[in-house]
Structures are given as C-alpha cells and as structure tokens.
Amino acid sequence: MTYSDFSHSSFMRTNLQGVDFSESTAYTIDVLENNVKEARFSRYEALSLLESLGIELVD
C-alpha cells in the first residue's frame, strides 16, 4: 500500500498487521479498532494515528 492516497477511505476492525503504508497519505486509522502491529508508516503521516487516541500535538 505504499505511495497510496487513502482520502475518503475507512478502516474498521481491519487486520493491517505488517502492512507497509510508507509514503501513503490521508489515512485515518483508529489504532484501537484495527490491528496495526508491525505496520510501517512514514514519520509525519503517522502523526494522524494519534488522533484516534485523542492526542493533540503542539509545537
């Protein structure tokens, strides 16, 4: 799933174990509802994973 645009995509109770999301964009994945063990994410895009935990990052 590298270099993919996941705009308007929904992952719900999905097994994403070991999936490579490198360079993918616009995903919204709830880490509590989906299995993301050993999945790979680009550093800055992975910040969106914190949204599902209710975490807000500030500078």
Side-chain angles (χ1 to χ4, degrees):
M1 294 201 196
T2 58
Y3 297 98
S4 299
D5 179 358
F6 288 101
S7 296
H8 309 292
S9 296
S10 180
F11 294 98
M12 296 168 43
R13 288 180 242 120
T14 305
N15 182 3
L16 301 170
Q17 184 173 352
V19 173
D20 188 353
F21 285 97
S22 300
E23 306 302 326
S24 295
T25 59
Y27 47 77
T28 302
I29 300 172
D30 185 333
V31 297
L32 299 177
E33 291 287 325
N34 297 282
N35 180 0
V36 294
K37 184 176 181 179
E38 298 178 7
R40 298 180 70 188
F41 299 92
S42 298
R43 180 174 295 142
Y44 295 108
E45 285 293 321
L47 295 175
S48 68
L49 299 174
L50 297 175
E51 289 179 20
S52 66
L53 300 173
I55 296 173
E56 179 183 349
L57 295 180
V58 295
D59 289 332

